[in-house]
Amino acid sequence: MAGIDRQGRLILATVDGRQPGVSEGFTLAEAAHFMRSLGAVQALNLDGGGSSAMAVDGRLVNITSDTTGERPVGDTLQVLPARRS
């Protein structure tokens, strides 16, 4: 999910999908409530399912729900440091 708060700051969140004994995933209503709890005033659901993964500093920080683990995807959303001139 991606959103912005009242100050215009970006909020990114990934929720692990349904995995018995590990995680339960979110419904869209639960996702909306969660983003509001983080302070989002605008938000959208980017994707759900086994391909959802979040990496920080090159390390996977969630447990993907796809039984084969992290899988190749056709596109990504990336937040990179500002380019210095």
Coordinates of all heavy atoms in Angstrom, one line a residue:
M1 N 0.8 -1.2 0.0 CA 0.0 0.0 0.0 C 0.9 1.2 0.0 O 2.0 1.2 0.5 CB -0.9 0.0 1.2 CG -1.9 -1.2 1.3 SD -2.6 -1.4 2.9 CE -1.3 -2.2 3.8
A2 N 0.4 2.3 -0.6 CA 1.1 3.6 -0.5 C 0.1 4.6 -0.1 O -1.1 4.6 -0.5 CB 1.7 3.9 -1.9
G3 N 0.6 5.6 0.6 CA -0.2 6.7 1.0 C 0.6 7.9 1.3 O 1.8 7.9 1.3
I4 N -0.1 9.0 1.6 CA 0.6 10.2 2.1 C -0.1 10.7 3.4 O -1.3 10.5 3.5 CB 0.6 11.4 1.0 CG1 -0.8 11.7 0.6 CG2 1.5 11.0 -0.1 CD1 -0.9 13.0 -0.2
D5 N 0.6 11.3 4.3 CA 0.0 11.9 5.5 C -0.2 13.4 5.3 O 0.0 13.9 4.2 CB 0.9 11.6 6.7 CG 2.2 12.3 6.7 OD1 2.5 13.2 5.9 OD2 3.0 12.0 7.6
R6 N -0.7 14.1 6.3 CA -1.1 15.5 6.2 C 0.1 16.4 5.8 O 0.0 17.4 5.3 CB -1.7 16.0 7.5 CG -3.1 15.4 7.7 CD -3.9 16.2 8.8 NE -5.1 15.5 9.1 CZ -6.2 15.5 8.3 NH1 -6.2 16.1 7.2 NH2 -7.2 14.9 8.7
Q7 N 1.3 15.9 6.2 CA 2.5 16.7 5.9 C 3.1 16.4 4.5 O 4.1 16.9 4.1 CB 3.6 16.5 6.9 CG 3.3 17.1 8.3 CD 2.3 16.3 9.1 OE1 2.3 15.1 9.1 NE2 1.3 17.0 9.7
G8 N 2.4 15.5 3.8 CA 2.9 15.1 2.4 C 4.0 14.0 2.4 O 4.6 13.8 1.4
R9 N 4.2 13.4 3.6 CA 5.2 12.3 3.6 C 4.6 11.0 3.1 O 3.5 10.7 3.3 CB 5.6 12.1 5.1 CG 6.4 13.3 5.6 CD 6.7 13.1 7.1 NE 5.5 13.1 7.9 CZ 5.4 13.2 9.2 NH1 6.5 13.4 9.9 NH2 4.3 13.1 9.8
L10 N 5.5 10.3 2.4 CA 5.1 9.0 1.8 C 5.1 7.9 2.9 O 6.0 7.8 3.7 CB 6.1 8.6 0.7 CG 6.0 7.3 0.0 CD1 4.7 7.3 -0.8 CD2 7.2 7.1 -0.9
I11 N 4.0 7.1 2.8 CA 3.9 5.9 3.7 C 3.8 4.7 2.8 O 3.0 4.7 1.9 CB 2.6 6.0 4.5 CG1 2.6 7.2 5.4 CG2 2.5 4.7 5.4 CD1 1.3 7.5 6.1
L12 N 4.7 3.7 3.0 CA 4.7 2.5 2.2 C 4.5 1.3 3.2 O 5.2 1.3 4.2 CB 5.9 2.3 1.4 CG 6.2 3.3 0.3 CD1 7.6 3.1 -0.3 CD2 5.1 3.2 -0.8
A13 N 3.6 0.4 2.9 CA 3.4 -0.8 3.8 C 3.2 -2.0 3.0 O 2.5 -2.0 2.0 CB 2.3 -0.5 4.7
T14 N 3.8 -3.1 3.4 CA 3.5 -4.4 2.8 C 3.0 -5.3 3.9 O 3.6 -5.3 5.0 CB 4.8 -5.0 2.2 OG1 5.2 -4.1 1.2 CG2 4.5 -6.4 1.6
V15 N 1.9 -6.0 3.7 CA 1.4 -6.9 4.7 C 1.5 -8.3 4.1 O 1.1 -8.6 3.0 CB -0.1 -6.6 4.9 CG1 -0.8 -7.6 5.9 CG2 -0.2 -5.2 5.5
D16 N 2.0 -9.2 4.9 CA 2.1 -10.6 4.5 C 0.8 -11.2 4.3 O -0.2 -11.0 5.0 CB 2.9 -11.4 5.5 CG 4.4 -11.0 5.7 OD1 4.9 -10.4 4.7 OD2 5.0 -11.2 6.7
G17 N 0.7 -12.1 3.3 CA -0.6 -12.7 2.9 C -1.0 -13.9 3.8 O -0.3 -14.2 4.8
R18 N -2.0 -14.5 3.4 CA -2.6 -15.6 4.2 C -1.6 -16.8 4.2 O -1.3 -17.4 3.2 CB -3.9 -16.1 3.7 CG -5.0 -15.0 4.0 CD -6.3 -15.5 3.5 NE -7.3 -14.4 3.6 CZ -7.5 -13.5 2.7 NH1 -6.9 -13.5 1.5 NH2 -8.4 -12.5 2.9
Q19 N -1.1 -17.1 5.4 CA -0.2 -18.2 5.6 C -0.5 -18.8 6.9 O -0.2 -18.2 8.0 CB 1.3 -17.8 5.6 CG 1.7 -17.1 4.3 CD 3.1 -16.5 4.4 OE1 4.1 -17.2 4.3 NE2 3.2 -15.2 4.7
P20 N -1.1 -20.0 7.0 CA -1.5 -20.6 8.3 C -0.3 -20.6 9.3 O 0.8 -21.1 8.9 CB -2.0 -22.0 7.9 CG -2.4 -21.9 6.4 CD -1.5 -20.8 5.8
G21 N -0.6 -20.1 10.5 CA 0.4 -20.1 11.5 C 1.4 -19.0 11.4 O 2.3 -18.9 12.3
V22 N 1.4 -18.2 10.3 CA 2.3 -17.1 10.1 C 1.7 -15.8 10.0 O 2.0 -14.9 10.8 CB 3.2 -17.4 8.8 CG1 4.2 -16.3 8.6 CG2 3.9 -18.7 8.9
S23 N 0.7 -15.6 9.1 CA 0.0 -14.3 8.9 C -1.4 -14.5 8.4 O -1.7 -15.6 7.8 CB 0.9 -13.4 8.0 OG 1.0 -14.1 6.7
E24 N -2.2 -13.5 8.5 CA -3.6 -13.6 8.1 C -3.9 -12.7 6.8 O -5.0 -12.9 6.3 CB -4.5 -13.2 9.2 CG -4.4 -14.1 10.4 CD -5.3 -13.7 11.5 OE1 -6.2 -12.9 11.3 OE2 -5.1 -14.2 12.6
G25 N -3.0 -11.8 6.4 CA -3.4 -10.9 5.4 C -4.4 -9.9 5.8 O -4.8 -9.8 7.0
F26 N -4.8 -9.0 4.9 CA -5.8 -8.0 5.2 C -6.9 -8.0 4.1 O -6.6 -8.3 2.9 CB -5.1 -6.6 5.0 CG -4.5 -6.0 6.2 CD1 -3.8 -4.8 6.1 CD2 -4.5 -6.6 7.4 CE1 -3.1 -4.3 7.2 CE2 -3.8 -6.1 8.5 CZ -3.2 -4.9 8.4
T27 N -8.1 -7.7 4.5 CA -9.1 -7.3 3.6 C -8.9 -5.9 3.1 O -8.1 -5.2 3.8 CB -10.5 -7.4 4.2 OG1 -10.6 -6.4 5.2 CG2 -10.8 -8.8 4.8
L28 N -9.6 -5.4 2.1 CA -9.4 -4.0 1.7 C -9.8 -3.1 2.8 O -9.1 -2.0 3.0 CB -10.1 -3.7 0.4 CG -9.5 -4.3 -0.9 CD1 -10.4 -4.0 -2.1 CD2 -8.1 -3.8 -1.1
A29 N -10.9 -3.4 3.5 CA -11.3 -2.5 4.6 C -10.3 -2.5 5.8 O -10.0 -1.4 6.3 CB -12.6 -3.0 5.2
E30 N -9.7 -3.6 6.1 CA -8.6 -3.7 7.1 C -7.4 -2.9 6.6 O -6.7 -2.2 7.4 CB -8.2 -5.1 7.4 CG -9.3 -5.9 8.1 CD -9.0 -7.4 8.2 OE1 -8.4 -7.9 7.3 OE2 -9.5 -8.0 9.1
A31 N -7.1 -3.0 5.3 CA -5.9 -2.2 4.8 C -6.2 -0.7 4.9 O -5.3 0.0 5.3 CB -5.7 -2.6 3.4
A32 N -7.4 -0.3 4.6 CA -7.7 1.1 4.7 C -7.6 1.6 6.2 O -7.0 2.7 6.5 CB -9.1 1.4 4.2
H33 N -8.1 0.8 7.1 CA -8.0 1.2 8.5 C -6.6 1.2 9.0 O -6.2 2.1 9.7 CB -8.8 0.1 9.4 CG -8.8 0.4 10.8 ND1 -9.5 1.4 11.4 CD2 -8.1 -0.2 11.8 CE1 -9.3 1.4 12.7 NE2 -8.4 0.4 13.0
F34 N -5.8 0.3 8.5 CA -4.4 0.3 8.9 C -3.6 1.5 8.4 O -2.9 2.1 9.1 CB -3.7 -1.0 8.3 CG -2.2 -1.1 8.6 CD1 -1.8 -1.3 9.9 CD2 -1.3 -1.0 7.6 CE1 -0.4 -1.4 10.2 CE2 0.0 -1.1 7.9 CZ 0.5 -1.3 9.2
M35 N -3.9 1.9 7.1 CA -3.2 3.1 6.6 C -3.7 4.3 7.3 O -2.8 5.2 7.6 CB -3.5 3.2 5.1 CG -2.8 2.1 4.2 SD -1.0 2.1 4.4 CE -0.6 3.6 3.4
R36 N -4.9 4.4 7.7 CA -5.4 5.6 8.5 C -4.7 5.6 9.9 O -4.3 6.6 10.4 CB -6.9 5.5 8.7 CG -7.6 6.0 7.5 CD -9.1 6.1 7.9 NE -9.8 6.6 6.7 CZ -10.5 7.7 6.6 NH1 -10.6 8.5 7.6 NH2 -11.1 8.0 5.5
S37 N -4.5 4.4 10.4 CA -3.8 4.3 11.7 C -2.3 4.8 11.6 O -1.8 5.2 12.6 CB -3.8 2.9 12.3 OG -2.9 2.0 11.7
L38 N -1.8 4.7 10.4 CA -0.4 5.2 10.2 C -0.4 6.7 9.9 O 0.7 7.3 9.7 CB 0.3 4.4 9.1 CG 0.5 2.9 9.3 CD1 1.1 2.3 8.1 CD2 1.4 2.7 10.5
G39 N -1.6 7.3 9.8 CA -1.7 8.7 9.5 C -2.0 9.1 8.1 O -1.9 10.3 7.7
A40 N -2.2 8.1 7.2 CA -2.5 8.4 5.8 C -3.8 9.1 5.7 O -4.8 8.8 6.3 CB -2.5 7.1 5.0
V41 N -3.8 10.2 4.9 CA -5.0 10.9 4.5 C -5.5 10.5 3.1 O -6.6 10.7 2.7 CB -4.9 12.4 4.7 CG1 -4.7 12.8 6.1 CG2 -3.8 13.0 3.8
Q42 N -4.6 10.0 2.3 CA -4.8 9.4 1.0 C -4.0 8.2 0.9 O -2.9 8.1 1.3 CB -4.4 10.4 -0.2 CG -5.1 11.7 -0.2 CD -6.5 11.5 -0.8 OE1 -6.7 10.7 -1.6 NE2 -7.4 12.3 -0.3
A43 N -4.6 7.1 0.3 CA -3.9 5.8 0.2 C -4.5 5.0 -0.9 O -5.6 5.2 -1.4 CB -3.9 5.1 1.5
L44 N -3.7 4.1 -1.4 CA -4.2 3.1 -2.4 C -3.5 1.8 -2.2 O -2.4 1.7 -1.7 CB -3.9 3.6 -3.8 CG -2.5 3.9 -4.3 CD1 -2.0 2.7 -5.1 CD2 -2.4 5.2 -5.0
N45 N -4.2 0.7 -2.6 CA -3.7 -0.6 -2.6 C -3.0 -0.9 -3.9 O -3.6 -0.8 -4.9 CB -4.9 -1.6 -2.4 CG -4.5 -3.0 -2.2 OD1 -3.6 -3.2 -1.3 ND2 -5.0 -3.9 -2.9
L46 N -1.7 -1.2 -3.8 CA -1.0 -1.5 -5.0 C -1.1 -2.9 -5.6 O -1.3 -3.1 -6.8 CB 0.5 -1.2 -4.7 CG 0.9 0.2 -4.3 CD1 2.3 0.3 -3.9 CD2 0.6 1.1 -5.5
D47 N -1.1 -3.9 -4.7 CA -1.2 -5.2 -5.2 C -1.4 -6.1 -4.0 O -1.0 -5.7 -2.8 CB 0.1 -5.7 -5.9 CG 0.0 -7.1 -6.5 OD1 -1.1 -7.6 -6.7 OD2 1.1 -7.7 -6.7
G48 N -1.9 -7.3 -4.2 CA -1.9 -8.2 -3.1 C -1.6 -9.6 -3.6 O -1.6 -9.8 -4.8
G49 N -1.2 -10.4 -2.8 CA -0.9 -11.8 -3.3 C 0.6 -12.2 -3.1 O 1.4 -11.5 -2.5
G50 N 0.9 -13.3 -3.6 CA 2.2 -13.9 -3.4 C 3.4 -13.2 -4.0 O 4.5 -13.4 -3.5
S51 N 3.2 -12.2 -4.9 CA 4.3 -11.5 -5.4 C 4.6 -10.2 -4.6 O 5.6 -9.6 -4.8 CB 4.0 -11.0 -6.8 OG 2.9 -10.1 -6.9
S52 N 3.8 -9.9 -3.6 CA 4.1 -8.8 -2.7 C 5.3 -9.0 -1.9 O 5.4 -9.9 -1.1 CB 2.9 -8.5 -1.8 OG 1.8 -8.1 -2.6
A53 N 6.3 -8.1 -2.0 CA 7.5 -8.2 -1.2 C 8.0 -6.8 -0.9 O 7.8 -5.9 -1.7 CB 8.6 -9.0 -2.0
M54 N 8.7 -6.6 0.2 CA 9.3 -5.3 0.5 C 10.7 -5.5 0.9 O 11.0 -6.4 1.7 CB 8.6 -4.6 1.6 CG 9.2 -3.2 1.9 SD 8.4 -2.3 3.3 CE 7.1 -1.5 2.3
A55 N 11.6 -4.8 0.3 CA 13.0 -4.8 0.6 C 13.5 -3.5 1.1 O 13.0 -2.4 0.6 CB 13.9 -5.2 -0.6
V56 N 14.3 -3.4 2.1 CA 14.9 -2.2 2.7 C 16.4 -2.4 2.7 O 16.9 -3.4 3.2 CB 14.3 -1.9 4.1 CG1 15.0 -0.7 4.6 CG2 12.8 -1.7 4.0
D57 N 17.1 -1.5 2.1 CA 18.6 -1.6 1.9 C 19.0 -2.9 1.3 O 20.0 -3.5 1.8 CB 19.2 -1.4 3.3 CG 19.1 0.1 3.8 OD1 19.1 1.0 2.9 OD2 19.1 0.3 5.0
G58 N 18.2 -3.4 0.4 CA 18.6 -4.6 -0.3 C 18.2 -5.9 0.4 O 18.5 -7.0 -0.1
R59 N 17.5 -5.8 1.5 CA 17.1 -7.0 2.3 C 15.6 -7.2 2.3 O 14.9 -6.2 2.6 CB 17.7 -7.0 3.7 CG 19.2 -7.1 3.8 CD 19.7 -7.2 5.2 NE 18.7 -7.8 6.1 CZ 18.5 -7.4 7.4 NH1 19.3 -6.4 7.9 NH2 17.6 -8.0 8.1
L60 N 15.1 -8.4 2.0 CA 13.7 -8.7 2.1 C 13.3 -8.5 3.6 O 13.9 -9.1 4.5 CB 13.4 -10.1 1.6 CG 12.0 -10.5 1.4 CD1 11.3 -9.6 0.3 CD2 11.9 -11.9 1.0
V61 N 12.2 -7.7 3.9 CA 11.8 -7.5 5.2 C 10.4 -8.1 5.5 O 9.9 -7.9 6.6 CB 11.8 -6.0 5.6 CG1 13.3 -5.5 5.5 CG2 10.9 -5.2 4.7
N62 N 9.9 -8.8 4.6 CA 8.6 -9.5 4.9 C 8.7 -11.0 4.5 O 9.7 -11.4 3.9 CB 7.4 -8.8 4.2 CG 7.4 -9.1 2.7 OD1 8.4 -8.9 2.0 ND2 6.3 -9.6 2.2
I63 N 7.7 -11.7 4.9 CA 7.6 -13.2 4.5 C 6.6 -13.3 3.4 O 5.4 -13.1 3.6 CB 7.2 -14.0 5.7 CG1 8.2 -13.9 6.9 CG2 7.1 -15.5 5.3 CD1 7.8 -14.5 8.2
T64 N 7.1 -13.6 2.2 CA 6.2 -13.7 1.0 C 5.3 -14.9 1.2 O 5.6 -15.9 1.8 CB 7.0 -13.8 -0.3 OG1 7.8 -15.0 -0.2 CG2 7.8 -12.6 -0.5
S65 N 4.0 -14.7 0.7 CA 3.0 -15.8 0.9 C 3.1 -16.8 -0.2 O 2.4 -17.8 -0.2 CB 1.6 -15.2 1.1 OG 1.3 -14.5 -0.1
D66 N 3.8 -16.5 -1.3 CA 4.0 -17.5 -2.4 C 4.7 -18.7 -1.9 O 5.8 -18.5 -1.3 CB 4.7 -16.8 -3.6 CG 4.4 -17.6 -4.9 OD1 3.8 -18.6 -4.9 OD2 4.9 -17.0 -5.9
T67 N 4.2 -19.9 -2.1 CA 4.9 -21.1 -1.5 C 6.3 -21.3 -2.1 O 7.1 -22.0 -1.4 CB 4.0 -22.3 -1.8 OG1 3.8 -22.5 -3.2 CG2 2.7 -22.3 -1.1
T68 N 6.6 -20.7 -3.2 CA 7.9 -20.9 -3.8 C 8.9 -19.8 -3.4 O 10.0 -19.7 -3.8 CB 7.9 -20.9 -5.4 OG1 7.3 -19.7 -5.8 CG2 7.1 -22.1 -5.8
G69 N 8.4 -18.9 -2.5 CA 9.3 -17.8 -2.0 C 9.2 -16.6 -2.9 O 8.2 -16.4 -3.7
E70 N 10.1 -15.7 -2.8 CA 10.1 -14.4 -3.6 C 10.2 -14.8 -5.1 O 11.0 -15.7 -5.5 CB 11.3 -13.6 -3.2 CG 11.3 -12.2 -3.8 CD 12.4 -11.3 -3.4 OE1 13.3 -11.8 -2.7 OE2 12.4 -10.2 -3.8
R71 N 9.4 -14.2 -5.9 CA 9.4 -14.5 -7.3 C 9.6 -13.3 -8.2 O 9.4 -12.2 -7.8 CB 8.0 -15.2 -7.7 CG 6.8 -14.3 -7.6 CD 5.6 -15.0 -8.0 NE 4.4 -14.2 -7.7 CZ 3.2 -14.6 -7.7 NH1 2.9 -15.9 -8.0 NH2 2.2 -13.8 -7.4
P72 N 10.1 -13.5 -9.4 CA 10.3 -12.4 -10.4 C 9.0 -11.7 -10.7 O 7.9 -12.4 -10.8 CB 10.9 -13.1 -11.6 CG 11.1 -14.5 -11.3 CD 10.4 -14.8 -10.0
V73 N 9.0 -10.4 -10.9 CA 7.8 -9.7 -11.2 C 8.2 -8.7 -12.4 O 9.4 -8.4 -12.6 CB 7.3 -8.9 -10.1 CG1 6.7 -9.8 -9.0 CG2 8.3 -7.9 -9.5
G74 N 7.2 -8.2 -13.1 CA 7.4 -7.4 -14.2 C 7.7 -5.9 -13.9 O 8.2 -5.1 -14.7
D75 N 7.3 -5.5 -12.7 CA 7.5 -4.1 -12.3 C 7.6 -4.0 -10.8 O 7.3 -4.9 -10.0 CB 6.3 -3.2 -12.8 CG 4.9 -3.7 -12.3 OD1 4.9 -4.6 -11.5 OD2 3.9 -3.2 -12.8
T76 N 8.2 -2.9 -10.4 CA 8.4 -2.6 -8.9 C 8.2 -1.1 -8.7 O 8.2 -0.3 -9.6 CB 9.8 -2.9 -8.5 OG1 10.7 -2.1 -9.2 CG2 10.2 -4.4 -8.8
L77 N 7.9 -0.8 -7.4 CA 7.9 0.6 -6.9 C 9.2 0.7 -6.1 O 9.4 -0.1 -5.2 CB 6.7 0.8 -6.1 CG 6.6 2.2 -5.4 CD1 6.5 3.3 -6.4 CD2 5.5 2.2 -4.4
Q78 N 10.0 1.7 -6.5 CA 11.3 1.9 -5.8 C 11.4 3.3 -5.2 O 11.0 4.2 -5.9 CB 12.5 1.6 -6.7 CG 12.5 0.2 -7.2 CD 13.7 -0.1 -8.1 OE1 14.7 0.6 -8.0 NE2 13.6 -1.2 -8.9
V79 N 11.9 3.4 -4.0 CA 12.2 4.7 -3.4 C 13.7 4.8 -3.3 O 14.3 4.0 -2.6 CB 11.5 4.9 -2.1 CG1 11.9 6.3 -1.5 CG2 10.0 4.7 -2.2
L80 N 14.4 5.7 -4.0 CA 15.8 5.8 -4.1 C 16.3 7.1 -3.4 O 15.5 8.1 -3.5 CB 16.3 5.6 -5.5 CG 15.9 4.4 -6.2 CD1 16.2 4.5 -7.7 CD2 16.5 3.2 -5.6
P81 N 17.5 7.1 -2.9 CA 18.0 8.4 -2.4 C 18.1 9.5 -3.5 O 18.2 9.1 -4.7 CB 19.4 8.1 -1.9 CG 19.7 6.6 -2.2 CD 18.5 6.1 -2.9
A82 N 18.0 10.7 -3.1 CA 18.0 11.8 -4.0 C 19.4 11.8 -4.7 O 20.4 11.6 -4.0 CB 17.8 13.1 -3.3
R83 N 19.4 12.2 -6.0 CA 20.7 12.3 -6.7 C 21.3 13.6 -6.3 O 20.7 14.6 -6.3 CB 20.4 12.3 -8.2 CG 21.6 12.4 -9.0 CD 21.2 12.5 -10.5 NE 21.5 11.2 -11.1 CZ 21.3 10.9 -12.3 NH1 20.8 11.8 -13.1 NH2 21.6 9.8 -12.8
R84 N 22.6 13.5 -6.0 CA 23.3 14.8 -5.6 C 23.9 15.4 -6.9 O 24.5 14.7 -7.7 CB 24.4 14.4 -4.6 CG 23.8 14.0 -3.3 CD 24.9 13.7 -2.3 NE 24.2 13.0 -1.2 CZ 24.5 13.3 0.1 NH1 25.4 14.2 0.3 NH2 23.9 12.7 1.0
S85 N 23.8 16.7 -7.0 CA 24.3 17.3 -8.2 C 25.7 17.9 -8.0 O 26.3 17.9 -7.0 CB 23.4 18.4 -8.7 OG 23.0 19.2 -7.6

